[in-house]
Amino acid sequence: MATTYTTAQIAELLERVSNWGRWGKDDQRGALNYISNEKRAAAARLVRSGETVSLALPLPTRPARDNPTPVTHLMIRSGDIGHPLGSWGCADYFAIEPHGLATTHLDALCHHFYQGKMYNGFDYTEVDFQGAHKCAIDVARDGIISRGVLIDVPRLRKLEWIEPGDAIFPEDLEAAEQAEGVRVGEGDVMLLRTGRFKLRRIKGVGAISGLKMPGLHASCLEWLRERRIAVLGSDAVSDVLPTPYEPPLRMPIHTGSLVMMGVHLIDNADLEQLAEKCARESRYDFMFSLLPLILERGTASPANPVAMF
Amino acid sequence: MATTYTTAQIAELLERVSNWGRWGKDDQRGALNYISNEKRAAAARLVRSGETVSLALPLPTRPARDNPTPVTHLMIRSGDIGHPLGSWGCADYFAIEPHGLATTHLDALCHHFYQGKMYNGFDYTEVDFQGAHKCAIDVARDGIISRGVLIDVPRLRKLEWIEPGDAIFPEDLEAAEQAEGVRVGEGDVMLLRTGRFKLRRIKGVGAISGLKMPGLHASCLEWLRERRIAVLGSDAVSDVLPTPYEPPLRMPIHTGSLVMMGVHLIDNADLEQLAEKCARESRYDFMFSLLPLILERGTASPANPVAMF
Amino acid sequence: MATTYTTAQIAELLERVSNWGRWGKDDQRGALNYISNEKRAAAARLVRSGETVSLALPLPTRPARDNPTPVTHLMIRSGDIGHPLGSWGCADYFAIEPHGLATTHLDALCHHFYQGKMYNGFDYTEVDFQGAHKCAIDVARDGIISRGVLIDVPRLRKLEWIEPGDAIFPEDLEAAEQAEGVRVGEGDVMLLRTGRFKLRRIKGVGAISGLKMPGLHASCLEWLRERRIAVLGSDAVSDVLPTPYEPPLRMPIHTGSLVMMGVHLIDNADLEQLAEKCARESRYDFMFSLLPLILERGTASPANPVAMF
Amino acid sequence: MATTYTTAQIAELLERVSNWGRWGKDDQRGALNYISNEKRAAAARLVRSGETVSLALPLPTRPARDNPTPVTHLMIRSGDIGHPLGSWGCADYFAIEPHGLATTHLDALCHHFYQGKMYNGFDYTEVDFQGAHKCAIDVARDGIISRGVLIDVPRLRKLEWIEPGDAIFPEDLEAAEQAEGVRVGEGDVMLLRTGRFKLRRIKGVGAISGLKMPGLHASCLEWLRERRIAVLGSDAVSDVLPTPYEPPLRMPIHTGSLVMMGVHLIDNADLEQLAEKCARESRYDFMFSLLPLILERGTASPANPVAMF
């Protein structure tokens, strides 16, 4: 399999995976439409023990090599009180760039453009200084609740983590499915583990840069479309970086998912605890929930996705 | 029933409802301990149709009479692109005071003090300029997933809403249970509807002030403790305001819930759509999920709680 | 004198006062060009006693009727220290919308557009989500130091303040000059006192709204242009509000000054102490300094202008 | 001369340079008291040509090795307009940590503590989560206008810059005075050039870390006190870093100036253009102005100091 592509080849590939018009020309929800009520009810029926695992990093409040734009967290009122009999409260404040490289977040479909268009052909001018007038994050205001499936690539390859810069191919996805006894299907939230945060914990925060990441090779796009996933998540940014393709397209998984297929992306999820849980239980699917903040016109939401077993 | 209390009476009442030490002297999770794995699994088994309803207001980005501290939402990059073949992204920024009066949020147990102490006797000095060193919002990092129960007081009283300043008593809670065919029990998330946001939509944003709210009378505290609820939520702030009690204690439901019982509070939830759904289905319990942002040392999290039927 | 204008009359007036091209087609500094080195040196020669008076309000950190967007001021580190022998520091943070209605600030020429253009014919598209690519606040990075002249209209009219909504006409300016024994000339910073902050102190912060202000009538524009002022400042917003003219033009002094003449504006200066000083000394000109923050691409700077006698 | 000190020696030294009580026990302005009206009037008389030079870096809006906490600068409204005849404005927003390592700013006296005290013996607890209740930046609200003197150490040593980590001694200060034909005296603003920003421009932003800086050796403190300077400024942070003294005291120039002498500090001034101007004119004194924002309870102000010749 070719591991690189020309710009023309990627353009053809992106054309092939398009879902534009599939849910009507006004649709702004994209592949979230695959999550029917019945799909959600079935996800709830996956619950057995009731145990939950968070898939989020804590909000990153300190600058780091992989976190150049930390969350500002400051107190408005601290605990000091005036009256010994009185009751009083404390309060805080935070300022956040949700797309931060160490922030677990959900990308809205409007986050990415290709040839001047976002998902379903909406024009890039729909995102102006006021925010996104189409495909903003609030299209998911009722929550993303579905079946989640973990694809654990380091486990498949018997590694602690996939090295930054290494690509993952469709045959890896299929081999992982087989090894795990699971099959990714319509409406699923597919979670791709690369072991990035295992590497970070062992080697230290400074060990990895936001510019070098393991991730899916562009050749996975057709596979993802055929499986009809609703959402793609990763402990990195889904794309392999630096890009192995001909410039100027740098992130064809972002382009193919957000723009062409209408697949929302979860970046920087922490999948370490989930991977341990799945391995321990020999079970790789679970009820998945992500409840984004309703930020009208927003391009993303910081999130705390949770898997329930 | 006395509708007012002296400071001494409230002090006695608060003493009676204390859960300090119930889950060990180091416990920081309070009544979240009532939500066992089995409780969560049972909540999942409540799901039938798979329909979901959001219980959150959109993040309030405009100043209003009931929103003096709006969320700042600004663009970092808008849609303008450089290269016609290129792909590019947009991004935004927001700054928030989660305890804002028109922000749906979860109060951490550290948010409130009584006689210099927070839940379980931790000292107020545990909250300093760096944030909360005890009972911060991240104690709920694995999510709050349980059975939710709606107590719809306006429906019981055949009103559109409860007037700001009006109190709700234990007998109202019991009458609502009976009318709804439901019983609040151990580990439940109890959601109290006052109709505040119906009033707001009909009368306009300027009609209500953050200083006048319908809510629970202090005499409900013992009832809440006996029922062993895990979390209390409301479309207002749970307490009736202005306070009908002897100063200086202004919000005994906050004090009793957060400080004495260790019950997390959800303020400013939007329960209108939920109430319609419950009435339509003659069903007042459901699977409830709230997945707070993991803000270590944080005193609250903005949230988008979701009910699933 | 007509106190109202049709849109066509204002359009003609704005055309007449244009300075576009006067300092070359690439100029971005406008009437700041009137402030020559010699003008600055002459301003320094006005100094006699060396006394200084600040013309700024404190940064407004609390919400108020005339301050819907307060400055957020929070601590990063407070005074608490670790080591009794040690030395340590505290630090803070602020977030500001410099154009706030109770913030003393300097408007950049890019702040305002007319018929899609800013000063000197630059297109409105030069201000995009990244900020102002032309006529940003940093054109004044070397400081605005010149002769300042106070025009004290309430004193002329023997009033404590000019009522919100009342207009000031060219004959008022000339009468004030005569009464004060001063003449506004080339390169001067003209400061127009309406007494707004005397009213605010006596009647309370809630007494005045940002929508009703005393200010110059549009008929003053030609006078200002003939006098070749460099900067216009006021304790309100220079324009009279609500507008007495035919819609849609609301603020012809802003339009005429910023867009047509290239005159920077100072809004919300506190001129009370200055007025007392001038009256006491029977002297209405002084050395004026305003040193804006160098915010490249910025549309304004909060400022603390100072008069020196 | 000893280039290192024990903690005990520094403690003695700090005791010797104390100005506590010199201007009364309630004084919060410290050595700003040296700037009399007559001093300011004399500074104005230094002006000849009227030329001005800014001593500020632009506000640093991008992350860099020497700027881990960049200023957030975002647009509230951009240039896009609605009505072709209409006039409209744009506006922006910024969020800043004034003590940032690449931000030209004035430290308030409250910024630093020694043995639990700030200037004049005020307790560290005077700075709490609400800000500084003593010695805040607004003590300088009427502006710092005085005689400025540039001490150009690289020029004296015939270097382009002083290497990070190198110390400057009292004999350097005296030699520079002699070479420049100037003498630092009572009420002066002394500006110490190390050439840091020449190094930065030639070697690139990444070349220097905030942890290694050229600066004054602690042995300069007595010299500074004898000369009765009002303010000390530098293109670095005045102290040499890393500290050559016995721990825990890291920044004795900060401690000695802010805490003991009550001398405000200017950090990160850009003195390159000033140095060229002074060399060209063989003149090292000038009228100096710094007009801090009036941030009540603030610990610093970003600033654009200006020298006038």
Side-chain angles (χ1 to χ4, degrees), chain B residues 62 75 79 90 95 105 121 123 125 131 139 148 157 225 294:
Chain B
R62 292 177 193 202
M75 294 304 288
C90 60
H105 65 268
D123 202 66
T125 56
V139 304
R157 297 193 185 167
R225 183 172 187 273
I294 307 180

Side-chain angles (χ1 to χ4, degrees), chain D residues 103-124:
Chain D
T103 302
T104 307
H105 65 268
L106 180 71
D107 283 344
L109 295 185
C110 66
H111 172 52
H112 208 81
F113 310 104
Y114 174 58
Q115 296 185 331
K117 300 296 179 188
M118 66 172 99
Y119 167 69
N120 220 4
F122 292 115
D123 202 67
Y124 75 89

Side-chain angles (χ1 to χ4, degrees), chain D residues 38-47 145-147 286-288:
Chain D
E38 174 43 41
K39 178 77 186 177
R40 271 191 294 264
R45 286 193 299 271
L46 291 172
V47 173
I145 299 177
S146 191
R147 178 187 181 233
F286 39 82
M287 184 183 187
F288 172 93

